[in-house]
Structure formats: C-alpha cells, structure tokens
Amino acid sequence: MNTSSIRSFLPLFGLTMATVFTACDKNDEQEHSKPESESTYARLLITDKTSNVVTLLDPARKEQTSFQSTHGASAVYTSATGRWATVVSASNNLVEFFDTGIDRHDDHVHVKGSPKWGLTKSTGPTPSHVYGSHNKISIFNDGNASISHVEEGQLHTVSAPGTFVTGAAHHGAMILFDNGNYAVTHKNNTVSGSLPEQVKLVNTQGTVVSAPTVATQGIHGDAGDGQQALFGSSSGVLVVKQTGEQRLIPYPASAGSNWLSTIYYAKKARTFLGSRNNYGVFRIDPAANTITQVGSATKLARVALDEEGENVLVLDEDGLLSIFDAATGALKTSRSLTGLLDAKTATPYLVASRRYVYVTNAPQSKVHMLRKDNLADHEAFTVAGSPLRLAFVGADVDSEDGH
C-alpha cells in the first residue's frame, strides 16, 4: 500500500470506528433499557395443596403447563443436575420423577425433548428423605429403613430404583459420599420414639463399612459436601467423615434445650447451616467447631438456600423475608411481605435463582416473583388451585448448545 493510500484510508477508518463506537453505545443503551427477566431455561415445578395437579412454570416467557401426578399435596425436590424433579407422596408410598428436558452443561444447556414424567417409580414404604448428588437420586424409606437409589440417566429406562435395607425402621436420612458409600442413620432403641440415635456407613449392598462410634439422644436433619456429613441431634451437631471418623460439635451455651433439626449445605459458599423453629438459623463451622447465629429471627416460617448455594433466605412468622450471605452471615436485604401474604397461615415455600426469589401463596393461588437484590415485586403468577411446594428446576442460564 502506498502513502497516499494510507492517508486516504485513515480518515475513513476513523469515521468508520466512530460509527462503530456510536453503534456500540446505542446497543449498550438498548441492552440497559431492556426489562430484566429470568433466565431462558429457568423453570419452577409447583405442586398443589389439595389436588394432583403439578404446574411447570416458565417465568421468562410467563407460560404454564399442567401435568397430573398420581397423588396430590406432594413434596418436590430438585435433582443434582436440575434436569429432574422428585415428587414425593409419603402417605401413599410413592415417588415419581419429572423430566424438564433441560440438560445443563456448565454455562449452556442441551434440550432433550419435551417435559414429561419419567418411567421410574419408587414404592418404598413411607419415603421421607430425598438426597440428590453425584447425578443420583437417593430416598430413605422410613417404613423399613431402606435406601432406594437411581442414576438420573436411568429414569427413562428402569421401572424401579435399586433398594437395600439398612436396619430397623425409623424416621431417618442418609448422605452419599464421594467414595460411593452412604452415611445413614441407625436406630438402636436406646431412646424411645421414631428418631434414630446413631449414624453408620454402608455400601450400596447395605453392608456396614464403618460402625457407629457416637451415640446421641435423637437425630433429625442432615447435609453433606461429599467428604463429610453433618446431622442435627439433640446432643450436638454430629460430624461424620467418609473415612468413618465421627464427633459432635457442641451447641452454644445459650442454646439450653434447643437443637438444630434441619441442616443445609450451601455449595457455592461452602458452608453448613442449621435451623429450628423457636431457636433460629445458624452457621456451622466443622473446622472451627463453632455454631453461630445468622440474624436474630427465632420464629421461622421458612428457611431455604438459593439455587447456587450462596445465600440463605429466612422468612419469619411476622412476614419479614431476609437474605443473608451464607458464608459470612451478613444481611444483604430484607422486606416485610405482610402486604402479600400471611406467613403464619399461607404455608409459603421459597426458592431463589441468581436474580429472583419465588414465594408460594396458596390461599390466593399465586406465586410471587421478587427481585433478589432488593425484594421488590417483579411479577405475580396466578396458578390454578392452591400452589404449595415448589422446586427450582432446569438451568439458570440463557444459552443452548454452547451458542
């Protein structure tokens, strides 16, 4: 290229770049002016308080699709991948599995057909506890202390999950470790009632690989991170490692007779938490052997983690909804929901994505959608019947097939 060509090109280049920058500025303005919405592949699966209707809600498109479960008033849980929901009717000894068809791969999804029920059904007696991890769904059945387990990839191909019995019937739970063994509660009948007193490690044939070494006065609630499992007990928080090591974390001196009966693991925050109505919400630090309160609420209507496991949501009986950083316990935002619902009577349930919080309001047939940053109203979805339990399913992303 000669010098004159270069000179004649530069003004044109500058004009072109100015045009590009102007266009970019306009595009940025347009992007900022777009109304914020939920992720394209985010879904909610909602069960009904009285009927067997199950509603799949697409918040971004404001679309709903109704399905029929075998029984009504079911509990619902999200699988480890988010593709599946586990729908549990404990009183009818039945667990069903719902496929959203949204298969997440890091920052994008692959759509695998339309939403539908899976082939697999679990019929263990009194299914009480569901645990999703390692692309597997595990269910503890109180009626015979059995564990039913199935890989997510098998839910369209096998009619029933594999099942093995772990001991005497009790109201129990289990955690799946990275090494494939389970930490499962054990009833030794040293304490009356249905609660177990100990935890043992078993393999998927039910063989004991590590016997209990710590006894408590009653266990309820558990969570795990793959390497260790924490169980709530009246004697302290029981820590069980996949190596078989066990110990108790003592409660604060101010606890009195209170104890943590529900345990959570916030995966992004890498933090364990526990809660109990009339006691409060607490961060549990197994490394430091400490239990510290989060916020000051003691009258709890509902406690939940957000989908990423970064924040803990606390709704108290007075209708105050607060979001705390799970790792630090710091308050991020709060708002009274008394104008939307009665937290004492509406039996509200909570889930949250990266940008939104969803609250069921059965008496008004609504699911409230709130902005997560300030809990301001964003949308109110009217759902036929009385929406009760809900699970965040699908994926909190916008892209399909990596594009």
Side-chain angles (χ1 to χ4, degrees):
M1 182 181 290
N2 62 36
T3 305
S4 61
S5 297
I6 293 174
R7 282 198 293 265
S8 62
F9 171 74
L10 287 176
L12 178 61
F13 175 79
L15 177 62
T16 302
M17 289 306 296
T19 304
V20 169
F21 290 140
T22 303
C24 288
D25 290 341
K26 289 181 179 178
N27 288 338
D28 288 343
E29 291 174 5
Q30 290 171 356
E31 285 295 320
H32 291 309
S33 66
K34 286 182 180 178
E36 185 181 278
S37 65
E38 185 56 280
S39 297
T40 302
Y41 293 100
R43 303 288 186 271
L44 302 178
L45 193 70
I46 307 159
T47 60
D48 191 80
K49 192 174 184 178
T50 57
S51 77
N52 63 344
V53 173
V54 175
T55 301
L56 183 66
L57 174 63
D58 180 341
R61 294 183 177 85
K62 302 180 183 180
E63 295 177 350
Q64 302 178 34
T65 309
S66 294
F67 298 85
Q68 302 288 318
S69 59
T70 302
H71 304 286
S74 296
V76 59
Y77 306 93
T78 307
S79 72
T81 66
R83 174 174 173 174
W84 292 84
T86 304
V87 180
V88 181
S89 180
S91 60
N92 292 286
N93 303 327
L94 183 65
V95 179
E96 298 173 291
F97 304 94
F98 186 86
D99 182 8
T100 64
I102 299 172
D103 192 15
R104 180 169 183 172
H105 295 265
D106 296 323
D107 62 349
H108 68 279
V109 304
H110 297 163
V111 176
K112 305 289 187 179
S114 59
K116 53 187 169 294
W117 292 103
L119 172 66
T120 308
K121 294 181 188 294
S122 181
T123 57
T126 321
S128 66
H129 179 76
V130 174
Y131 189 72
S133 69
H134 303 81
N135 293 343
K136 179 184 283 191
I137 298 170
S138 304
I139 304 156
F140 186 88
N141 303 298
D142 285 3
N144 63 357
S146 66
I147 294 176
S148 300
H149 58 100
V150 61
E151 300 284 344
E152 290 190 40
Q154 297 178 313
L155 290 169
H156 282 306
T157 61
V158 300
S159 59
T163 300
F164 59 91
V165 175
T166 67
H170 64 275
H171 183 49
M174 80 280 133
I175 292 294
L176 179 62
F177 288 127
D178 289 343
N179 64 10
N181 292 330
Y182 286 92
V184 61
T185 50
H186 175 72
K187 181 69 178 172
N188 63 19
N189 291 314
T190 57
V191 177
S192 62
S194 63
L195 293 184
E197 306 90 354
Q198 293 180 301
V199 171
K200 60 190 175 186
L201 273 62
V202 302
N203 61 24
T204 53
Q205 287 74 49
T207 302
V208 176
V209 297
S210 183
T213 60
V214 175
T216 74
Q217 295 300 299
I219 291 171
H220 191 280
D222 66 342
D225 63 4
Q227 299 290 311
Q228 60 186 338
L230 271 60
F231 294 80
S233 93
S234 56
S235 305
V237 174
L238 177 61
V239 180
V240 180
K241 295 187 176 181
Q242 69 172 349
T243 57
E245 177 189 340
Q246 301 189 13
R247 62 186 173 84
L248 286 169
I249 300 176
Y251 291 116
S254 59
S257 61
N258 290 310
W259 58 285
L260 301 177
S261 56
T262 304
I263 308 295
Y264 317 82
Y265 180 65
K267 56 184 181 292
K268 186 172 182 179
R270 297 183 180 181
T271 303
F272 287 94
L273 299 107
S275 71
R276 187 181 179 92
N277 193 21
N278 297 318
Y279 183 31
V281 180
F282 294 78
R283 290 173 57 244
I284 307 166
D285 187 339
N289 230 42
T290 57
I291 298 174
T292 54
Q293 190 164 8
V294 176
S296 59
T298 57
K299 301 287 187 179
L300 308 175
R302 198 70 57 200
V303 178
L305 297 175
D306 60 7
E307 189 270 338
E308 290 186 300
E310 181 178 9
N311 302 287
V312 57
L313 290 74
V314 180
L315 177 63
D316 69 24
E317 291 184 354
D318 293 327
L320 181 66
L321 176 60
S322 301
I323 300 180
F324 298 90
D325 184 298
T328 66
L331 176 66
K332 289 189 170 182
T333 188
S334 65
R335 176 202 170 179
S336 173
L337 301 186
T338 54
L340 296 181
L341 52 83
D342 185 336
K344 290 182 180 179
T345 62
T347 58
Y349 283 84
L350 306 169
V351 296
S353 64
R354 286 179 293 126
R355 294 192 293 265
Y356 296 99
V357 175
Y358 299 90
V359 187
T360 57
N361 184 352
Q364 296 183 29
S365 300
K366 291 186 182 299
V367 174
H368 300 283
M369 181 182 185
L370 313 175
R371 289 181 57 93
K372 193 176 178 183
D373 56 357
N374 59 11
L375 297 178
D377 294 339
H378 183 79
E379 190 78 39
F381 299 99
T382 299
V383 179
S386 301
L388 180 62
R389 303 283 289 264
L390 77 171
F392 184 90
V393 289
D396 199 352
V397 299
D398 291 307
S399 179
E400 182 182 355
D401 296 328
H403 300 299

